[in-house]
Amino acid sequence: MLTVNAYGATSATEPLAPMTIERRDLGPKDVLIEIRYAGICHSDIHTVRSEWGECPYPLAPGHEIAGVVAEVGAEVTKHRVGDRVGVGCMVNSCGRCVNCEKGEEQFCVEGNVQTYGSIDRDGTVTQGGYSTHVVVTEDFVLRIPDGLELDVAAPLLCAGITTYSPLRHWNAGPGKKVGVVGLGGLGHMAVKIAHAMGAEVTVLSQSLKKQEDGLRLGADHYHATSDPETFQKLRGSFDLIVNTVSAQLPIDSYLGLLAVDGALVNVGAPAEPLSVNAFSLIGGRRSFAGSLIGGIRETQEMLDFCAEHGLGAEIEVIPAERINEAYERVLASDVRYRFVIDTSTL
Ligand SMILES: [Zn+2]
Ligand SMILES: [Zn+2]
């Protein structure tokens, strides 16, 4: 066992604090990664505060991990010492079910093993990326291409794939009109990726506060959803809307913005149910759908795509001692657009 420095939660109400955690001995298929950067995702906050169910304490969160391979097990073939690598939201799955066989491990019928706070297949509780090292089975380790710096690559492992996957699945590209609801950690990556795919991109944000940023990131248009005229003006115009907001929204109003056969896809997950009027769907053969990260193969495809198009996240790098302050700023939407922890400060 390897004892490593980390930063995590000991209860739902205490601030996060320095701690040590154990990493398992390297198995034949395992990769030991020296973590350099870890992104702060809104999910980390929900989880450590037990807002999504009872969290196993102590817990170091973090599922946007970028680092360098420090050691590999005897049977590892996909990664070598010194390789630049990443780990996202999951670290294992059954590997045999219909969804795993299709490369969609996020939908493993036995449940994928999440990067932190999940029971791994060996029975131990997984610990996340706010730490100096992690041991992961080689199939769940991604290659970070040379064109991407590790700090701006880290958030791609959750925010990047969460938005890339629905954009791919619903065929964002030239001739397609894509709306992005919310310009936060997820939304800013959705704008960059949809633009790089060749789609015409519109940001639908509460106010026009971030308009300049949105246009700089690649949006063609920017509208405030607090202005009722927006919903009149844009009625029936989008092929795809990606909703990144984890809060109550008037779903019927957004469905009204879709063209015939358009889809409104939720990647945000509000705690309370959302209501939908069936007439909003049948009137234009519209879909209201959801999407969860992406499989390992697609995550690699996303990293390669981002490297090819020079896309990284917009980040603010912080030392570990500022994690609690960063959490408050994430909750206040005061971040442009992702905090990334420099794990050498742990
Ligand atoms: Zn995340
Ligand atoms: Zn499976």
Side-chain angles (χ1 to χ4, degrees):
M1 291 258 248
L2 184 62
T3 302
V4 303
N5 288 342
Y7 214 88
T10 50
S11 82
T13 50
E14 296 292 306
L16 271 62
M19 56 173 59
T20 57
I21 55 173
E22 306 283 322
R23 295 303 190 185
R24 66 171 179 258
D25 288 329
L26 223 57
K29 290 281 195 185
D30 281 339
V31 175
L32 172 67
I33 301 167
E34 185 193 313
I35 300 173
R36 297 282 168 81
Y37 296 99
I40 293 180
C41 175
H42 208 141
S43 319
D44 302 347
I45 306 175
H46 285 300
T47 304
V48 299
R49 296 187 175 177
S50 286
E51 290 166 2
W52 281 349
E54 190 51 36
C55 158
Y57 301 104
L59 184 74
H63 60 204
E64 294 184 338
I65 299 170
V68 174
V69 175
E71 203 181 327
V72 294
E75 293 167 21
V76 168
T77 57
K78 295 176 177 162
H79 307 282
R80 285 183 308 192
V81 171
D83 283 358
R84 303 159 79 252
V85 292
V87 177
C89 303
M90 52 184 177
V91 288
N92 220 333
S93 72
C94 85
R96 297 179 306 265
C97 73
V98 56
N99 296 327
C100 284
E101 289 211 326
K102 277 195 292 198
E104 298 198 309
E105 301 88 351
Q106 75 274 36
F107 303 130
C108 176
V109 298
E110 292 183 21
N112 72 65
V113 177
Q114 294 177 5
T115 301
Y116 59 83
S118 214
I119 307 292
D120 206 343
R121 297 188 70 79
D122 64 4
T124 58
V125 174
T126 55
Q127 295 284 348
Y130 298 7
S131 62
T132 58
H133 296 77
V134 64
V135 174
V136 180
T137 187
E138 68 166 339
D139 289 342
F140 285 78
V141 177
L142 288 306
R143 254 178 306 104
I144 296 180
D146 285 339
L148 276 175
E149 296 297 332
L150 292 179
D151 53 358
V152 299
L156 300 180
L157 277 307
C158 171
I161 187 59
T162 297
T163 50
Y164 179 91
S165 184
L167 289 167
R168 262 283 174 262
H169 185 81
W170 277 274
N171 301 312
K176 293 289 174 76
K177 292 188 178 178
V178 174
V180 175
V181 184
L183 192 68
L186 294 174
H188 94 288
M189 284 314 307
V191 169
K192 285 188 175 205
I193 293 169
H195 174 69
M197 287 174 173
E200 184 179 335
V201 183
T202 300
V203 175
L204 300 165
S205 182
Q206 223 164 14
S207 73
L208 297 178
K209 228 169 38 189
K210 300 180 188 166
Q211 182 170 24
E212 216 172 287
D213 273 10
L215 299 176
R216 177 176 57 82
L217 298 172
D220 300 283
H221 316 282
Y222 203 105
H223 294 279
T225 53
S226 54
D227 178 359
E229 259 205 20
T230 294
F231 290 91
Q232 287 307 317
K233 220 165 26 193
L234 302 177
R235 205 169 168 73
S237 63
F238 295 104
D239 300 295
L240 169 64
I241 298 175
V242 178
N243 176 19
T244 71
V245 173
S246 293
Q248 282 297 322
L249 282 183
I251 293 302
D252 294 304
S253 303
Y254 285 88
L255 288 169
L257 300 179
L258 294 172
V260 170
D261 287 329
L264 171 61
V265 182
N266 252 62
V267 294
E272 298 300 316
L274 296 165
S275 89
V276 181
N277 185 330
F279 285 106
S280 307
L281 299 171
I282 62 184
R285 199 164 52 200
R286 300 177 179 117
S287 310
F288 182 34
S291 182
L292 174 71
I293 51 174
I296 292 298
R297 188 170 57 222
E298 192 175 45
T299 305
Q300 188 62 57
E301 178 189 303
M302 177 277 305
L303 288 167
D304 295 343
F305 177 89
C306 286
E308 189 186 320
H309 292 270
L311 308 181
E314 306 286 304
I315 59 168
E316 187 175 327
V317 177
I318 59 163
E321 65 193 30
R322 288 184 51 208
I323 291 173
N324 290 302
E325 176 195 330
Y327 272 26
E328 294 312 313
R329 285 183 54 196
V330 168
L331 294 172
S333 299
D334 175 24
V335 51
R336 293 195 181 186
Y337 283 86
R338 210 53 151 182
F339 287 112
V340 171
I341 303 160
D342 174 353
T343 55
S344 71
T345 61
L346 284 164

